[in-house]
Amino acid sequence: MKKLLLISTITVAFLAGCAMTNPYASNSADSAIANAQAKYNKAHSEMVAWKNTKKILNQAKKLAKTDPKKATALANKAAYQAQTALTQSAEFEKTWRSAMPQ
Amino acid sequence: MLKRLAKIAIISMISGSIMFAANFNAQAEKDRHAFVNYFLKKFKNPVKNQAKYFPYVSIKEIKKDYIYPLSFQAFQDGSLSWYKPSKEQFAEINAFPPYEIPLDDGEALYKKPFANGKTYSSCFPNPAIKQNYPYYDTKKDEIITIGIAVNECRVKNGEKPLKYGKGDIAKVISYLAYKSRGQKINIKIPNANAAKAYEAGKKLFYKQRGYLAISCNECHVKGAGKRLRAEALSPALGATTQMPVYRIKWGGLGTLQRRLAGCVKDTGSEKPKMQSKPLKELAYFLTYMSNGMKLFGPDTRK
């Protein structure tokens, strides 16, 4: 019984630990890449992604292991582009009709 | 009394929906009239209307280099319709049109039997059909471009589909276009989903996009008649009449889908796939805007 309790405590602690931010995550590019990927996917599905965003994101993925600092910077750039594309699209959605010939 | 009121309400509801059903192109027609009028007015007297339509160019330059007034059909020539230097240059090039050899290839391909002995004419007995493309297929519930129709014909006859945009498909389409010369573009909007597709294409045309935050409208409606570096910007009216084109830059023929994909990319956007839903919608909208214009493809472009 004691043993079982111990195991479950460890398991819970382990799961909680995973759910919390990994102290090493700041040194890894993974979360930045995941964030950029999600934003890019959204922009892409709405057909508003910019020309080079996917390329930048792919570069980030390539460098994730060897140069996490640079990979993070690239991923953040891709995320920024994708987010700007989405924000811009929402803004233009309000006004585009007024540009039509009347 | 109440019964009668209910009856009237039901009758008017039914007739309302019938009226609506007959009018899936009502909005598109409204758009098209405004669109055509804009271009006719703009190019009627550019000198007189310089301040309103051509703030980016001097009256002196208009007098020297612009061709006007332009008739409805004159817009078939793209940037050559209004820009004298380009028109002169291309008149010389088209004395021996560079599209002639690939057009001959297209004719040969059209007539060459597939492995099953049939030819393209089993699908297109009358090749003068380009005026009806792209059309909305109400059974498949999607837009069928002429490129898709060509490939469907091949697959039906046991052949592999061709790659879109250039090469053999552009040659075959050129032959169909050539045989359709003089036919008037006749794009229809048969149901509510087709109207939706038209609206989506319209949005893609007018809504700014990409890192340049620019729209097709900016260059090919407002900017039509403007010089942009070494280019003269073509009016969107008539933009699909001369397709496919032999482009000097490409060193060969390219289809409307190829041109549209390139122009979307030029706004700083991800390049869409040829024959993807958005690009088909864009083609549907853009071709609808030229309804009633005579076809005269293929042609030559820079």
Side-chain angles (χ1 to χ4, degrees), chain B residues 180-260:
Chain B
S180 311
R181 278 189 176 184
Q183 301 291 330
K184 286 182 180 169
I185 295 178
N186 182 22
I187 305 303
K188 297 193 176 109
I189 300 181
N191 65 16
N193 281 355
K196 251 190 224 161
Y198 164 88
E199 286 294 327
K202 174 166 116 185
K203 179 150 99 176
L204 185 44
F205 185 86
Y206 285 107
K207 188 175 160 183
Q208 302 98 312
R209 55 176 19 265
Y211 62 71
L212 296 175
I214 200 171
S215 66
C216 319
N217 176 50
E218 212 63 51
C219 282
H220 294 296
V221 181
K222 287 188 193 156
K226 189 180 188 174
R227 304 262 317 283
L228 185 76
R229 296 183 295 274
E231 304 271 7
L233 288 172
S234 57
L237 177 60
T240 66
T241 51
Q242 79 290 359
M243 295 288 169
V245 291
Y246 185 103
R247 261 186 101 187
I248 315 280
K249 183 183 157 190
W250 290 336
L253 284 175
T255 63
L256 177 62
Q257 286 283 312
R258 183 180 182 190
R259 178 58 117 160
L260 293 180

Coordinates of all heavy atoms in Angstrom, one line a residue, chain B residues 180-260:
Chain B
S180 N -11.6 29.4 -80.1 CA -12.7 30.2 -79.5 C -12.6 31.7 -79.7 O -13.4 32.5 -79.2 CB -12.7 29.9 -78.0 OG -12.7 28.6 -77.7
R181 N -11.6 32.1 -80.5 CA -11.5 33.5 -80.8 C -12.8 34.1 -81.4 O -13.4 33.5 -82.2 CB -10.3 33.7 -81.8 CG -9.0 33.7 -81.2 CD -7.9 34.2 -82.2 NE -6.6 34.2 -81.5 CZ -5.5 34.7 -82.1 NH1 -5.5 35.1 -83.3 NH2 -4.4 34.7 -81.4
G182 N -13.1 35.3 -80.8 CA -14.3 35.9 -81.3 C -15.6 35.6 -80.5 O -16.6 36.3 -80.6
Q183 N -15.5 34.5 -79.7 CA -16.6 34.1 -78.9 C -16.7 35.1 -77.7 O -15.6 35.4 -77.2 CB -16.5 32.7 -78.4 CG -16.4 31.6 -79.5 CD -17.7 31.4 -80.2 OE1 -18.8 31.6 -79.7 NE2 -17.6 31.1 -81.5
K184 N -17.9 35.4 -77.3 CA -18.0 36.3 -76.1 C -18.0 35.5 -74.8 O -18.8 34.5 -74.7 CB -19.3 37.1 -76.2 CG -19.2 38.2 -77.3 CD -20.5 39.0 -77.4 CE -20.3 40.1 -78.4 NZ -21.6 40.7 -78.7
I185 N -17.2 36.0 -73.9 CA -17.2 35.4 -72.5 C -18.6 35.3 -71.9 O -19.3 36.3 -72.0 CB -16.2 36.2 -71.6 CG1 -14.8 36.1 -72.1 CG2 -16.3 35.7 -70.2 CD1 -13.8 36.9 -71.3
N186 N -18.9 34.2 -71.4 CA -20.3 33.9 -70.9 C -20.3 33.1 -69.6 O -20.6 31.9 -69.6 CB -21.0 33.2 -72.1 CG -22.5 33.0 -71.7 OD1 -23.0 33.7 -70.9 ND2 -23.1 32.0 -72.3
I187 N -19.9 33.8 -68.6 CA -19.8 33.1 -67.3 C -21.1 33.3 -66.5 O -21.7 34.4 -66.5 CB -18.6 33.7 -66.4 CG1 -17.3 33.7 -67.2 CG2 -18.5 33.0 -65.1 CD1 -16.9 32.3 -67.7
K188 N -21.6 32.2 -66.0 CA -22.9 32.2 -65.3 C -22.7 31.9 -63.8 O -21.7 31.2 -63.4 CB -23.8 31.1 -65.9 CG -24.1 31.5 -67.4 CD -25.3 30.6 -67.9 CE -25.6 31.0 -69.3 NZ -25.2 30.0 -70.3
I189 N -23.7 32.3 -63.0 CA -23.7 32.0 -61.6 C -25.0 31.2 -61.3 O -26.1 31.8 -61.1 CB -23.6 33.3 -60.8 CG1 -22.3 33.9 -61.1 CG2 -23.7 33.0 -59.3 CD1 -22.0 35.2 -60.4
P190 N -25.0 29.9 -61.4 CA -26.2 29.1 -61.4 C -26.9 28.9 -60.1 O -28.1 28.6 -60.1 CB -25.7 27.8 -62.0 CG -24.3 27.7 -61.7 CD -23.8 29.1 -61.6
N191 N -26.2 29.0 -59.0 CA -26.8 28.7 -57.7 C -26.2 29.5 -56.6 O -25.2 30.2 -56.8 CB -26.9 27.2 -57.4 CG -25.5 26.6 -57.2 OD1 -24.5 27.3 -57.0 ND2 -25.5 25.3 -57.3
A192 N -26.7 29.2 -55.4 CA -26.2 30.0 -54.2 C -24.7 29.7 -53.9 O -23.9 30.6 -53.6 CB -27.0 29.7 -53.0
N193 N -24.3 28.5 -54.1 CA -22.9 28.1 -53.9 C -21.9 28.8 -54.9 O -20.8 29.2 -54.6 CB -22.6 26.6 -53.8 CG -23.1 26.0 -52.5 OD1 -23.4 26.8 -51.6 ND2 -23.0 24.7 -52.4
A194 N -22.4 28.9 -56.1 CA -21.7 29.6 -57.2 C -21.5 31.0 -56.8 O -20.5 31.6 -57.0 CB -22.3 29.4 -58.5
A195 N -22.6 31.6 -56.3 CA -22.5 33.0 -55.9 C -21.5 33.2 -54.7 O -20.8 34.2 -54.7 CB -23.9 33.5 -55.4
K196 N -21.5 32.2 -53.8 CA -20.5 32.2 -52.7 C -19.1 32.2 -53.3 O -18.2 32.9 -52.8 CB -20.7 31.0 -51.8 CG -21.3 31.4 -50.5 CD -21.2 30.2 -49.6 CE -22.5 30.0 -48.8 NZ -22.7 28.6 -48.3
A197 N -18.9 31.3 -54.3 CA -17.5 31.2 -54.9 C -17.2 32.5 -55.6 O -16.0 33.0 -55.5 CB -17.5 30.1 -55.9
Y198 N -18.1 33.1 -56.2 CA -17.9 34.4 -56.9 C -17.5 35.5 -55.8 O -16.5 36.2 -56.0 CB -19.1 34.9 -57.6 CG -19.1 36.4 -57.9 CD1 -18.6 36.8 -59.1 CD2 -19.6 37.3 -57.0 CE1 -18.5 38.2 -59.4 CE2 -19.6 38.7 -57.3 CZ -19.0 39.1 -58.5 OH -19.0 40.4 -58.8
E199 N -18.2 35.5 -54.7 CA -17.9 36.4 -53.6 C -16.5 36.2 -53.0 O -15.8 37.2 -52.7 CB -18.9 36.4 -52.5 CG -20.3 37.0 -52.9 CD -20.3 38.5 -53.1 OE1 -19.5 39.2 -52.4 OE2 -21.0 39.0 -53.9
A200 N -16.1 34.9 -52.9 CA -14.8 34.6 -52.3 C -13.7 35.1 -53.3 O -12.7 35.7 -52.9 CB -14.7 33.1 -52.1
G201 N -13.9 34.9 -54.6 CA -13.0 35.4 -55.6 C -12.9 36.9 -55.6 O -11.8 37.5 -55.7
K202 N -14.0 37.6 -55.4 CA -14.1 39.0 -55.4 C -13.3 39.5 -54.2 O -12.5 40.5 -54.3 CB -15.5 39.4 -55.2 CG -15.8 40.9 -55.0 CD -17.3 41.1 -55.2 CE -18.0 41.6 -54.0 NZ -19.5 41.8 -54.2
K203 N -13.4 38.9 -53.0 CA -12.7 39.3 -51.8 C -11.2 39.1 -52.1 O -10.4 40.0 -51.7 CB -13.1 38.5 -50.6 CG -12.4 38.8 -49.4 CD -13.2 38.6 -48.2 CE -13.0 37.4 -47.5 NZ -13.7 37.2 -46.2
L204 N -10.8 38.0 -52.7 CA -9.4 37.8 -52.9 C -8.8 38.9 -53.8 O -7.7 39.3 -53.7 CB -9.2 36.4 -53.6 CG -7.8 35.9 -53.8 CD1 -6.8 36.2 -52.7 CD2 -7.8 34.4 -54.1
F205 N -9.7 39.4 -54.7 CA -9.2 40.5 -55.6 C -9.1 41.8 -54.9 O -8.2 42.6 -55.2 CB -10.2 40.6 -56.8 CG -9.8 41.5 -57.9 CD1 -8.9 41.1 -58.9 CD2 -10.2 42.9 -57.9 CE1 -8.5 42.0 -59.9 CE2 -9.8 43.8 -58.8 CZ -8.9 43.3 -59.8
Y206 N -10.1 42.1 -54.1 CA -10.1 43.5 -53.5 C -9.5 43.7 -52.2 O -9.1 44.8 -51.8 CB -11.6 44.0 -53.4 CG -12.2 44.3 -54.8 CD1 -13.1 43.5 -55.4 CD2 -11.8 45.5 -55.4 CE1 -13.7 43.9 -56.6 CE2 -12.4 45.9 -56.6 CZ -13.3 45.0 -57.2 OH -13.8 45.4 -58.4
K207 N -9.3 42.6 -51.4 CA -8.8 42.7 -50.1 C -7.2 42.7 -50.1 O -6.6 41.8 -50.7 CB -9.3 41.6 -49.2 CG -9.0 41.7 -47.8 CD -9.7 40.6 -47.0 CE -9.0 40.5 -45.6 NZ -9.6 39.4 -44.9
Q208 N -6.7 43.7 -49.4 CA -5.2 43.8 -49.3 C -4.7 42.6 -48.6 O -5.3 42.0 -47.7 CB -4.8 45.0 -48.6 CG -5.3 46.3 -49.1 CD -6.5 46.8 -48.4 OE1 -7.4 46.1 -48.2 NE2 -6.5 48.1 -48.0
R209 N -3.5 42.2 -49.0 CA -2.9 41.0 -48.5 C -1.3 41.0 -48.6 O -0.8 41.9 -49.2 CB -3.4 39.8 -49.2 CG -3.2 39.9 -50.7 CD -3.6 38.6 -51.6 NE -4.5 37.7 -50.9 CZ -4.1 36.6 -50.3 NH1 -2.8 36.3 -50.2 NH2 -5.0 35.9 -49.7
G210 N -0.7 40.0 -48.0 CA 0.7 39.9 -48.1 C 1.5 40.9 -47.3 O 0.9 41.8 -46.7
Y211 N 2.8 40.8 -47.3 CA 3.6 41.8 -46.5 C 3.6 43.1 -47.2 O 4.0 44.1 -46.5 CB 5.0 41.3 -46.1 CG 5.9 41.0 -47.2 CD1 6.5 42.0 -48.0 CD2 6.3 39.7 -47.5 CE1 7.4 41.7 -49.0 CE2 7.2 39.4 -48.5 CZ 7.7 40.4 -49.2 OH 8.6 40.1 -50.3
L212 N 3.2 43.2 -48.4 CA 3.0 44.5 -49.0 C 1.7 45.1 -48.7 O 1.5 46.3 -49.1 CB 3.2 44.4 -50.6 CG 4.6 43.9 -51.0 CD1 4.6 43.7 -52.5 CD2 5.7 45.0 -50.6
A213 N 0.8 44.4 -48.1 CA -0.5 44.8 -47.8 C -1.2 45.5 -49.0 O -1.7 46.7 -48.9 CB -0.5 45.8 -46.6
I214 N -1.2 44.9 -50.1 CA -1.7 45.4 -51.3 C -2.7 44.5 -52.0 O -2.7 43.3 -51.7 CB -0.5 45.7 -52.3 CG1 -0.9 46.7 -53.4 CG2 0.1 44.4 -52.9 CD1 0.3 47.2 -54.2
S215 N -3.6 45.0 -52.8 CA -4.6 44.2 -53.4 C -4.4 44.2 -54.9 O -3.8 45.1 -55.5 CB -6.0 44.6 -53.1 OG -6.2 45.9 -53.6
C216 N -5.0 43.3 -55.6 CA -5.0 43.3 -57.1 C -5.6 44.6 -57.6 O -5.2 45.2 -58.5 CB -5.9 42.1 -57.6 SG -5.7 40.6 -56.8
N217 N -6.7 45.0 -56.9 CA -7.4 46.2 -57.2 C -6.4 47.4 -57.3 O -6.5 48.3 -58.2 CB -8.4 46.5 -56.1 CG -9.1 47.8 -56.2 OD1 -9.7 48.1 -57.2 ND2 -9.2 48.5 -55.1
E218 N -5.5 47.5 -56.3 CA -4.5 48.6 -56.3 C -3.7 48.7 -57.6 O -3.5 49.8 -58.0 CB -3.6 48.3 -55.1 CG -3.1 49.5 -54.4 CD -4.2 50.3 -53.7 OE1 -5.0 49.7 -53.0 OE2 -4.3 51.5 -54.0
C219 N -3.3 47.6 -58.2 CA -2.5 47.7 -59.4 C -3.4 47.6 -60.6 O -3.0 48.2 -61.6 CB -1.5 46.5 -59.4 SG -0.1 46.8 -58.3
H220 N -4.5 46.8 -60.6 CA -5.2 46.6 -61.9 C -6.5 47.3 -62.1 O -7.2 47.1 -63.1 CB -5.3 45.1 -62.1 CG -4.0 44.4 -62.3 ND1 -3.2 44.6 -63.4 CD2 -3.3 43.5 -61.5 CE1 -2.1 43.9 -63.3 NE2 -2.2 43.2 -62.2
V221 N -6.9 48.0 -61.1 CA -8.1 48.9 -61.2 C -7.7 50.3 -61.0 O -7.5 51.1 -62.0 CB -9.3 48.5 -60.3 CG1 -10.5 49.4 -60.5 CG2 -9.6 47.0 -60.5
K222 N -7.4 50.7 -59.8 CA -6.9 52.0 -59.5 C -5.6 52.3 -60.2 O -5.4 53.4 -60.7 CB -6.7 52.2 -58.0 CG -7.9 52.3 -57.2 CD -7.6 52.7 -55.8 CE -8.8 52.5 -54.9 NZ -8.4 52.4 -53.5
G223 N -4.7 51.3 -60.3 CA -3.4 51.5 -60.9 C -3.4 51.2 -62.4 O -2.3 51.5 -63.0
A224 N -4.4 50.8 -62.9 CA -4.4 50.5 -64.4 C -4.2 51.8 -65.1 O -4.9 52.8 -64.9 CB -5.8 49.9 -64.8
G225 N -3.2 51.8 -65.9 CA -2.8 53.1 -66.6 C -1.6 53.7 -65.9 O -1.2 54.8 -66.3
K226 N -1.1 53.0 -65.0 CA 0.1 53.5 -64.3 C 1.3 52.8 -64.8 O 1.3 51.6 -65.1 CB -0.1 53.3 -62.8 CG 0.9 53.9 -61.8 CD 0.5 53.5 -60.4 CE 1.2 54.2 -59.4 NZ 0.7 53.9 -58.0
R227 N 2.5 53.5 -64.7 CA 3.7 52.8 -65.0 C 4.3 52.4 -63.7 O 4.3 53.1 -62.7 CB 4.7 53.7 -65.7 CG 4.1 54.3 -67.0 CD 4.5 53.6 -68.2 NE 6.0 53.3 -68.2 CZ 6.9 54.1 -68.4 NH1 6.7 55.4 -68.7 NH2 8.2 53.8 -68.3
L228 N 4.8 51.1 -63.6 CA 5.4 50.7 -62.4 C 6.8 50.1 -62.8 O 6.9 49.1 -63.4 CB 4.5 49.5 -61.8 CG 5.0 49.0 -60.5 CD1 4.6 50.0 -59.3 CD2 4.3 47.6 -60.2
R229 N 7.8 50.9 -62.5 CA 9.2 50.5 -63.0 C 9.1 50.3 -64.5 O 8.6 51.2 -65.2 CB 9.7 49.3 -62.2 CG 9.9 49.6 -60.7 CD 10.6 48.4 -60.0 NE 9.8 47.2 -60.0 CZ 8.8 47.0 -59.1 NH1 8.6 47.8 -58.1 NH2 8.1 45.9 -59.2
A230 N 9.5 49.2 -65.0 CA 9.6 49.0 -66.4 C 8.2 48.5 -67.0 O 8.1 48.2 -68.1 CB 10.7 48.0 -66.8
E231 N 7.2 48.4 -66.1 CA 5.9 47.8 -66.5 C 4.9 48.8 -66.7 O 4.9 49.9 -66.0 CB 5.5 46.8 -65.4 CG 6.4 45.7 -65.1 CD 6.3 44.5 -66.0 OE1 5.5 44.6 -66.9 OE2 6.9 43.5 -65.7
A232 N 3.9 48.5 -67.5 CA 2.7 49.3 -67.6 C 1.6 48.5 -67.1 O 1.4 47.3 -67.5 CB 2.4 49.7 -69.1
L233 N 0.8 49.0 -66.1 CA -0.2 48.1 -65.4 C -1.4 48.0 -66.3 O -2.0 48.9 -66.7 CB -0.5 48.7 -64.1 CG 0.6 48.5 -63.0 CD1 0.3 49.3 -61.8 CD2 0.9 47.1 -62.7
S234 N -1.8 46.7 -66.4 CA -3.0 46.4 -67.3 C -4.3 46.5 -66.5 O -4.3 46.3 -65.3 CB -2.9 45.0 -67.8 OG -2.7 44.1 -66.7
P235 N -5.4 46.9 -67.2 CA -6.7 47.0 -66.6 C -7.2 45.6 -66.3 O -7.0 44.7 -67.1 CB -7.6 47.6 -67.6 CG -6.6 48.3 -68.6 CD -5.4 47.5 -68.6
A236 N -7.9 45.4 -65.2 CA -8.4 44.0 -64.9 C -9.6 43.7 -65.8 O -9.9 42.5 -66.0 CB -8.9 44.0 -63.4
L237 N -10.2 44.7 -66.4 CA -11.2 44.4 -67.4 C -10.5 43.8 -68.6 O -9.6 44.4 -69.2 CB -12.0 45.7 -67.8 CG -13.0 45.6 -68.9 CD1 -14.1 44.6 -68.5 CD2 -13.6 46.9 -69.3
G238 N -11.0 42.6 -69.1 CA -10.4 42.0 -70.2 C -9.2 41.2 -69.9 O -8.6 40.6 -70.8
A239 N -8.8 41.1 -68.6 CA -7.6 40.4 -68.2 C -7.5 38.9 -68.6 O -6.4 38.4 -68.6 CB -7.3 40.6 -66.7
T240 N -8.7 38.3 -68.8 CA -8.6 36.9 -69.1 C -8.9 36.6 -70.6 O -8.9 35.4 -71.0 CB -9.6 36.1 -68.2 OG1 -11.0 36.5 -68.6 CG2 -9.5 36.4 -66.8
T241 N -9.1 37.6 -71.4 CA -9.5 37.4 -72.8 C -8.4 36.7 -73.6 O -8.7 36.0 -74.6 CB -10.0 38.7 -73.5 OG1 -8.9 39.6 -73.3 CG2 -11.3 39.2 -72.9
Q242 N -7.2 37.1 -73.3 CA -6.1 36.7 -74.2 C -5.3 35.5 -73.7 O -4.3 35.1 -74.3 CB -5.2 37.9 -74.4 CG -4.2 38.1 -73.3 CD -4.9 38.6 -72.0 OE1 -6.1 38.8 -71.9 NE2 -4.1 38.8 -70.9
M243 N -5.8 34.8 -72.7 CA -5.1 33.7 -72.1 C -5.2 32.5 -73.0 O -6.3 32.3 -73.6 CB -5.6 33.4 -70.7 CG -5.2 34.5 -69.7 SD -3.5 34.6 -69.4 CE -3.4 36.1 -68.5
P244 N -4.3 31.5 -73.0 CA -3.0 31.6 -72.4 C -2.1 32.6 -73.1 O -2.3 33.0 -74.2 CB -2.4 30.2 -72.5 CG -3.5 29.4 -73.0 CD -4.5 30.3 -73.7
V245 N -1.0 33.1 -72.5 CA -0.1 34.0 -73.1 C 1.3 33.4 -73.2 O 1.7 32.6 -72.4 CB 0.0 35.3 -72.4 CG1 -1.2 36.1 -72.5 CG2 0.4 35.1 -70.9
Y246 N 2.0 33.8 -74.3 CA 3.4 33.5 -74.4 C 4.1 34.6 -73.7 O 4.0 35.8 -74.2 CB 3.8 33.3 -75.9 CG 5.3 32.9 -76.0 CD1 5.6 31.6 -76.4 CD2 6.3 33.9 -75.8 CE1 6.9 31.2 -76.5 CE2 7.6 33.5 -76.0 CZ 7.9 32.2 -76.3 OH 9.3 31.8 -76.4
R247 N 4.8 34.4 -72.6 CA 5.5 35.5 -72.0 C 7.0 35.4 -72.3 O 7.6 34.3 -72.1 CB 5.3 35.4 -70.5 CG 4.3 36.3 -70.0 CD 4.2 36.3 -68.5 NE 4.9 37.5 -67.9 CZ 5.1 37.7 -66.6 NH1 4.8 36.7 -65.7 NH2 5.7 38.8 -66.2
I248 N 7.5 36.5 -72.7 CA 9.0 36.6 -73.0 C 9.7 36.1 -71.7 O 10.7 35.4 -71.8 CB 9.4 38.0 -73.4 CG1 8.4 38.6 -74.4 CG2 10.8 38.0 -73.9 CD1 8.5 38.2 -75.8
K249 N 9.3 36.6 -70.6 CA 9.9 36.3 -69.3 C 9.9 34.8 -69.1 O 10.9 34.2 -68.5 CB 9.2 37.0 -68.2 CG 9.8 36.9 -66.8 CD 9.0 37.6 -65.8 CE 9.3 37.0 -64.4 NZ 8.3 37.4 -63.4
W250 N 8.8 34.1 -69.4 CA 8.7 32.7 -69.2 C 9.4 31.9 -70.3 O 9.7 30.7 -70.1 CB 7.3 32.2 -69.1 CG 6.5 32.7 -67.9 CD1 7.0 33.0 -66.7 CD2 5.1 32.8 -67.8 NE1 6.0 33.4 -65.9 CE2 4.8 33.3 -66.5 CE3 4.0 32.7 -68.7 CZ2 3.5 33.5 -66.1 CZ3 2.7 32.9 -68.3 CH2 2.4 33.3 -67.0
G251 N 9.6 32.5 -71.4 CA 10.1 31.8 -72.6 C 9.2 30.7 -73.0 O 9.6 29.7 -73.6
G252 N 7.9 30.9 -72.8 CA 7.0 29.9 -73.2 C 5.6 30.3 -72.8 O 5.3 31.4 -72.3
L253 N 4.6 29.4 -73.1 CA 3.2 29.7 -72.8 C 3.0 29.5 -71.3 O 3.6 28.6 -70.6 CB 2.3 28.7 -73.5 CG 2.1 28.9 -75.0 CD1 1.3 27.7 -75.5 CD2 1.4 30.2 -75.3
G254 N 2.0 30.2 -70.8 CA 1.5 30.0 -69.4 C 0.0 30.3 -69.4 O -0.5 31.0 -70.2
T255 N -0.6 29.6 -68.5 CA -2.1 29.7 -68.4 C -2.5 30.8 -67.4 O -1.6 31.3 -66.7 CB -2.7 28.4 -67.9 OG1 -2.2 28.2 -66.5 CG2 -2.3 27.2 -68.7
L256 N -3.8 31.1 -67.4 CA -4.3 32.0 -66.4 C -4.0 31.7 -65.0 O -3.6 32.5 -64.2 CB -5.8 32.2 -66.6 CG -6.6 33.1 -65.6 CD1 -6.1 34.5 -65.8 CD2 -8.1 33.0 -65.8
Q257 N -4.1 30.4 -64.7 CA -3.8 29.9 -63.3 C -2.3 30.2 -63.0 O -2.0 30.7 -61.8 CB -4.0 28.4 -63.2 CG -5.5 28.0 -63.2 CD -6.1 28.2 -61.8 OE1 -5.5 27.9 -60.8 NE2 -7.2 28.9 -61.8
R258 N -1.4 30.1 -63.9 CA 0.0 30.3 -63.6 C 0.2 31.8 -63.4 O 0.9 32.2 -62.4 CB 0.8 29.9 -64.9 CG 2.3 30.1 -64.6 CD 3.1 29.7 -65.9 NE 4.5 29.8 -65.7 CZ 5.4 29.7 -66.6 NH1 5.0 29.4 -67.9 NH2 6.7 29.8 -66.4
R259 N -0.5 32.7 -64.2 CA -0.3 34.1 -64.0 C -0.9 34.6 -62.7 O -0.3 35.3 -61.9 CB -1.0 34.8 -65.2 CG -1.0 36.3 -65.1 CD 0.4 36.9 -65.0 NE 0.7 37.7 -66.1 CZ 1.7 38.6 -66.2 NH1 2.5 38.8 -65.1 NH2 1.9 39.3 -67.2
L260 N -2.1 34.0 -62.3 CA -2.7 34.4 -61.1 C -1.9 34.0 -59.9 O -1.7 34.8 -58.9 CB -4.1 33.8 -61.0 CG -5.2 34.3 -62.0 CD1 -6.5 33.6 -61.8 CD2 -5.3 35.8 -61.9

